Amino acid sequence: MGVASSSAAAEIYNVGEVGDYFDLLKPRVMSLAIFTAFVGLIAAPGDMNPVLGFASLLAIAAGAGAAGALNMWYDADIDAVMARTSGRPIPSGRVPRAEALALGVGLSALSIVTLALAANYTAAALLAFAIFFYMGVYTLWLKRTTPQNIVIGGAAGALPPVIGWAAATGEVSAASVWMFLIIFLWTPPHFWALALYKSGDYDRAGIPMLPLVKGDRAARRYIFGYALVLAVASIAPFALGVFGLTYGGIALAGGLVFASLAFRVLRDGAAQAESGESGAPERSLYLAPAAKRSARDLFAFSILYLFLIHVAILADYGVGRLF
């Protein structure tokens, strides 16, 4: 009876292992990389072989997953003390750190070689740089040392549309640079909104996120400032004729909503500080309900915003070419 029970438990565990290793790849982050790379590839001029295009997207997905696995390998210690990440495969004991490292290194090499063969060396070099930057610059250095970690480190997450464009054309263009810039400017307010209502997690892990180092008030001002710059930067490609009317309308509407939600974060935080509800307005781990709600709303909308921006690019550049 005991042997049978042990065998059944082992079978259940083995079935679950596949999902555990997939979780190492940070599938949510990977899906964003796939989508933005797809937009870059479809929007690019020329006609790429569909099979090679699909192989290129798989390689970019594998590269993004490899970066995620390497990040989880190195950050296992801080993941273990954060409520948001304590259930990840390594801190929960489901996957050994050494296996995560092996998976990350192996997938990195495979993804770069595959992209070089399916597309070109330019795209492969950009993918290699993105993996290196995310792991070597952001994870190993910036994340634990500076409140500007997500500002500089965001460059890695902004590269997939450029890689997709390069896979199709073998070069980097003005349009792909604008796509990079939009994601690059989007990243700080997106993550700082999360950091506002997850300050306790980051504080326990010793990660110098902006709200902890500069204070909540400064973080809210930065969020609002970046939201304004993002709104202007997102409409600029339309004004310059890089993207068309559909993109321009969505970018304008989306930028206004983003900026208005960022203003709510600024306003509700100021109201909390004036009321003295936080007790320590310059560096508080407590957010009043209204301030927390506004930060959550901005974080949630920022994801939708990025999706809509790229759908607009597809509508302007790619839908006709798909048929």
Side-chain angles (χ1 to χ4, degrees):
M1 184 70 176
V3 174
S5 298
S6 298
S7 300
E11 289 177 5
I12 292 172
Y13 176 74
N14 287 335
V15 170
E17 282 184 343
V18 176
D20 294 334
Y21 286 100
F22 183 68
D23 286 344
L24 282 175
L25 308 183
K26 293 191 174 182
R28 290 182 181 179
V29 177
M30 185 169 63
S31 64
L32 177 62
I34 296 170
F35 177 61
T36 56
F38 172 75
V39 173
L41 190 150
I42 293 298
D47 294 310
M48 189 175 191
N49 181 287
V51 175
L52 295 180
F54 182 70
S56 297
L57 285 176
L58 284 181
I60 296 170
L70 291 172
N71 175 268
M72 284 203 191
W73 160 73
Y74 187 77
D75 280 349
D77 58 333
I78 58 177
D79 282 349
V81 300
M82 296 176 66
R84 186 172 62 89
T85 57
S86 60
R88 285 177 172 176
I90 298 176
S92 63
R94 302 195 308 274
V95 175
R97 287 187 73 178
E99 293 185 11
L101 175 61
L103 178 64
V105 172
L107 269 182
S108 295
L110 179 63
S111 65
I112 294 166
V113 171
T114 300
L115 191 57
L117 295 175
N120 52 69
Y121 292 131
T122 301
L126 286 169
L127 179 61
F129 177 75
I131 296 171
F132 162 76
F133 197 88
Y134 184 74
M135 183 58 199
V137 178
Y138 170 68
T139 302
L140 294 181
W141 174 33
L142 297 172
K143 185 173 182 177
R144 306 190 190 208
T145 60
T146 172
Q148 296 299 312
N149 46 20
I150 205 64
V151 177
I152 306 169
L159 278 172
V162 183
I163 299 171
W165 187 287
T169 65
E171 60 185 18
V172 175
S173 72
S176 65
V177 171
W178 277 112
M179 285 187 271
F180 168 89
L181 185 62
I182 289 168
I183 301 176
F184 182 74
L185 292 172
W186 166 89
T187 303
H190 168 74
F191 278 102
W192 286 336
L194 174 67
L196 275 175
Y197 66 88
K198 292 289 185 180
S199 290
D201 255 2
Y202 290 112
D203 189 54
R204 284 191 298 274
I207 301 175
M209 293 299 285
L210 187 70
L212 294 172
V213 176
K214 298 290 187 179
D216 288 359
R217 290 178 180 175
R220 294 185 187 101
R221 288 195 293 267
Y222 272 96
I223 287 172
F224 182 59
Y226 265 89
L228 293 179
V229 174
L230 174 63
V232 173
S234 65
I235 200 67
F238 166 70
L240 295 172
V242 178
F243 300 144
L245 185 60
T246 301
Y247 170 86
I250 292 177
L252 178 61
L256 289 174
V257 174
F258 199 109
S260 67
L261 289 173
F263 179 74
R264 273 183 52 200
V265 171
L266 183 66
R267 181 199 63 195
D268 292 346
Q272 174 180 328
E274 289 174 4
S275 69
E277 191 172 352
S278 69
E282 291 303 322
R283 186 182 182 276
S284 174
L285 301 184
Y286 169 79
L287 285 185
K292 180 178 288 189
R293 184 167 53 251
S294 60
R296 286 182 182 273
D297 288 347
L298 176 60
F299 178 77
F301 177 77
S302 66
I303 299 171
L304 176 62
Y305 169 84
L306 197 65
F307 173 76
L308 291 175
I309 284 290
H310 285 82
V311 167
I313 295 172
L314 275 181
D316 272 346
Y317 265 88
V319 172
R321 297 182 61 238
L322 286 174
F323 300 96

